[in-house]
């Protein structure tokens, strides 16, 4: 996988597809490069981006994690 980061967004080039990550997705991928709990990841994201509107930070973090796992960007250990 090759990666291009510009501003806060990232492009990830896999042999079979190109994935664009928003600033939030890029931050999650960077923070989760080393194993981290959802709670700790959520706390770090709140520090960087503030609390999400209309959802708990943990629920919002889990939703993005699920999408990144589905796309093959992250894996659950």
């Amino acid at each position: 996988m090759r990666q291009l980061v510009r501003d806060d967004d990232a492009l990830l080039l896999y042999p079979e597809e190109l994935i664009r990550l928003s600033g939030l997705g890029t931050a999650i991928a960077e923070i989760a490069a080393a194993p981290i709990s959802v709670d700790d990841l959520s706390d770090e994201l709140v520090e960087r981006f503030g609390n999400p509107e209309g959802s708990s930070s943990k629920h919002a973090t889990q939703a993005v994690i699920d999408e990144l796992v589905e796309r093959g960007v992250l894996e659950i250990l």
Side-chain angles (χ1 to χ4, degrees):
M1 183 250 324
R2 302 184 118 200
Q3 177 178 326
L4 171 65
V5 178
R6 188 171 201 177
D7 299 321
D8 290 331
D9 295 348
L11 293 174
L12 307 177
L13 179 59
Y14 292 89
E16 62 282 347
E17 71 178 311
L18 175 69
I19 298 174
R20 181 183 176 273
L21 298 180
S22 67
L24 179 62
T26 301
I28 290 174
E30 288 173 1
I31 297 166
I36 187 170
S37 71
V38 174
D39 288 336
D40 290 342
L41 179 57
S42 177
D43 291 344
E44 178 67 29
L45 294 173
V46 167
E47 282 186 35
R48 289 187 187 195
F49 299 99
N51 283 308
E53 291 185 28
S55 180
S56 74
S57 60
K58 185 176 178 181
H59 184 267
T61 300
Q62 187 64 58
V64 177
I65 289 170
D66 292 345
E67 184 176 337
L68 293 175
V69 167
E70 184 178 316
R71 301 291 307 271
V73 175
L74 295 179
E75 64 180 272
I76 304 294
L77 300 178

